[in-house]
Amino acid sequence: MIRISIIGCGNMGSSIASALAENKDFKVAVYDNVPEKCNVLGAAAAKSLEEARDSADILLIAIKPQYLTKDFLSSIKRPGLKYISIAAGIPLSSLCGNLATDNIARFMPNMAAKAKKAVTAVAFPFGADDDFKKTALKIASSFGSAFELDESNFSAFIGISGSLIAYALEFINASAMAGTNVGIPYPVSSQIVKDTLISSCALLDITQKSPAELIPSICSASGTTIRAMEALAENGFANSLYKAVKAASDRSQELEENAKERLG
């Protein structure tokens, strides 16, 4: 059984802890500066940071990036301990340098971890052990899907996953409001839009076709859908997404550069 201690029980940390606690392969402990946050079903509450560190095979760092300082990293350093960090904008080079090990995984999950539907990017330094890599990917897969990526792609991943949940929610809201504008009450309209998005993903899965391949089959000549697609194109729908993904990606790169300056 692999012992995992999770430091930080905010929304993401507690969601991950809940998912891991249901897996019999893991023994989970949690620690937070606010003890009340450590009430996670199936997980033990560590009484101190030191207890969480010393009782673990893997330490999962789920604190906010601004609190991840050289002093904090020094306080959790222990020979033989392996680490997973979900701190946004903190590169592997800074983690490896301060923790003096290559057995570190960097996770970039999105907020759907609460529903065990997170999409998580996973990156490792060159020297990470193969067994640790397999375990880390298993951990990431326990609360959704996992994609091993080169760390250089993390900023792009944030643009199309980490931040994209917000775009998707705004799409649902705006579409529902548009439906309300033409006659369907918002609660019904928003449910219809949500279910339609789910059905769109199911269609992609069952056909194994790309969106670009499926769109023409939905657009009949001179029909309603092609007219709607024309309106989306005229109003810059795709261009807005290009700009949104680029903006999120650029900001992620800025945060990583700041972290390198702060942590080395």
Side-chain angles (χ1 to χ4, degrees), residues 45-121:
K47 295 178 181 178
S48 66
L49 179 62
E50 292 76 18
E51 180 184 323
R53 176 196 64 198
D54 294 341
S55 64
D57 301 307
I58 297 174
L59 196 68
L60 193 152
I61 306 164
I63 66 173
K64 293 183 183 298
Q66 60 266 33
Y67 300 133
L68 207 156
T69 63
K70 285 189 174 184
D71 286 343
F72 172 79
L73 291 172
S74 177
S75 73
I76 62 172
K77 185 164 63 173
R78 195 197 85 203
L81 187 58
K82 299 175 176 65
Y83 302 87
I84 295 170
S85 171
I86 66 167
I90 309 297
L92 285 169
S93 59
S94 296
L95 295 168
C96 293
N98 283 278
L99 293 170
T101 180
D102 284 334
N103 281 322
I104 299 175
R106 183 179 171 194
F107 284 8
M108 182 56 62
N110 63 28
M111 285 299 294
K114 185 180 292 292
K116 296 183 186 176
K117 290 290 185 180
V119 181
T120 302

Side-chain angles (χ1 to χ4, degrees), residues 3-222:
R3 300 172 300 167
I4 302 173
S5 287
I6 297 174
I7 309 301
C9 289
N11 289 332
M12 193 69 75
S14 59
S15 296
I16 292 172
S18 294
L20 294 180
E22 293 181 7
N23 191 318
K24 294 181 180 179
D25 292 334
F26 304 126
K27 182 178 180 180
V28 181
V30 295
Y31 174 75
D32 195 282
N33 285 332
V34 181
E36 293 76 16
K37 291 184 177 181
C38 294
N39 186 21
V40 177
L41 185 65
K47 295 178 181 178
S48 66
L49 179 62
E50 292 76 18
E51 180 184 323
R53 176 196 64 198
D54 294 341
S55 64
D57 301 307
I58 297 174
L59 196 68
L60 193 152
I61 306 164
I63 66 173
K64 293 183 183 298
Q66 60 266 33
Y67 300 133
L68 207 156
T69 63
K70 285 189 174 184
D71 286 343
F72 172 79
L73 291 172
S74 177
S75 73
I76 62 172
K77 185 164 63 173
R78 195 197 85 203
L81 187 58
K82 299 175 176 65
Y83 302 87
I84 295 170
S85 171
I86 66 167
I90 309 297
L92 285 169
S93 59
S94 296
L95 295 168
C96 293
N98 283 278
L99 293 170
T101 180
D102 284 334
N103 281 322
I104 299 175
R106 183 179 171 194
F107 284 8
M108 182 56 62
N110 63 28
M111 285 299 294
K114 185 180 292 292
K116 296 183 186 176
K117 290 290 185 180
V119 181
T120 302
V122 182
F124 303 97
F126 179 76
D129 293 343
D130 287 340
D131 286 345
F132 171 63
K133 288 182 180 181
K134 291 177 183 177
T135 300
L137 287 166
K138 180 179 179 180
I139 290 170
S141 298
S142 70
F143 50 89
S145 59
F147 294 84
E148 185 177 352
L149 298 176
D150 189 276
E151 190 182 29
S152 63
N153 289 319
F154 262 42
S155 292
F157 177 85
I158 288 171
I160 63 167
S161 182
S163 296
L164 188 131
I165 281 194
Y167 324 157
L169 293 173
E170 176 57 20
F171 174 82
I172 292 170
N173 177 62
S175 298
M177 289 296 287
T180 301
N181 185 52
V182 292
I184 301 176
Y186 183 86
V188 179
S189 185
S190 61
Q191 185 65 49
I192 290 171
V193 173
K194 186 188 78 169
D195 288 353
T196 302
L197 284 180
I198 293 171
S199 70
S200 301
C201 293
L203 190 61
L204 288 169
D205 287 341
I206 198 169
T207 63
Q208 290 296 296
K209 292 183 177 180
S210 71
E213 290 175 302
L214 282 176
I215 287 172
S217 67
I218 304 167
C219 298
S220 57
S222 300

